[in-house]
Amino acid sequence: MDVRVEVRQSYIVPGVVMPRQAHTSLVREVHHGEEVSDVCDALVTTNSKIVIGVHTRDCAPICFSNGEKVAVAHVGWRGLTTNLIENVLLHFEGEPTEVFVGPFLHT
């Protein structure tokens, strides 16, 4: 068995929509929970029945919410320098948004 496949499969969290992260500045909208197959590092949804998440180690998980829309981003130095946070905020169209930074390893 290919170890890379085994490790990748262990990252699957049942019931949680997770992006295929690649240290990009790309954001994808999730409406039904089946859309995310492309590479991106942030997800946005207005569907309260969908749980979204990201995997992190030394990158920061950053969550955004305005009460109707929720986003989660996987932000490392590449995402930070290529405007991933700004790209997520564009989905909130200037509405007041709360931002929460989760725990991460710092190297």
Side-chain angles (χ1 to χ4, degrees):
M1 174 187 268
D2 186 343
V3 175
R4 290 173 294 176
V5 171
E6 185 177 320
V7 170
R8 217 173 295 131
Q9 289 174 343
S10 71
Y11 283 177
I12 297 171
V13 180
V16 180
V17 177
M18 308 281 282
R20 287 191 322 150
Q21 299 166 197
H23 301 282
T24 69
S25 61
L26 301 173
V27 181
R28 302 279 185 235
E29 290 192 15
V30 180
H31 301 283
H32 306 289
E34 306 293 328
E35 301 90 342
V36 181
S37 60
D38 292 337
V39 169
C40 66
D41 281 272
L43 301 174
V44 179
T45 190
T46 57
N47 186 336
S48 63
K49 296 186 187 318
I50 295 176
V51 178
I52 57 176
V54 293
H55 292 290
T56 63
R57 287 186 201 97
D58 58 341
C59 297
I62 302 181
C63 302
F64 307 78
S65 177
N66 67 0
E68 293 179 22
K69 192 176 289 187
V70 175
V72 64
H74 161 257
V75 182
W77 69 266
R78 286 185 187 103
L80 190 62
T81 60
T82 59
N83 300 321
L84 178 58
I85 294 171
E86 290 85 346
N87 291 347
V88 171
L89 289 172
L90 288 174
H91 288 266
F92 288 86
E93 301 168 353
E95 300 167 7
T97 305
E98 293 182 289
V99 179
F100 306 91
V101 179
F104 62 99
L105 298 174
H106 179 65
T107 57

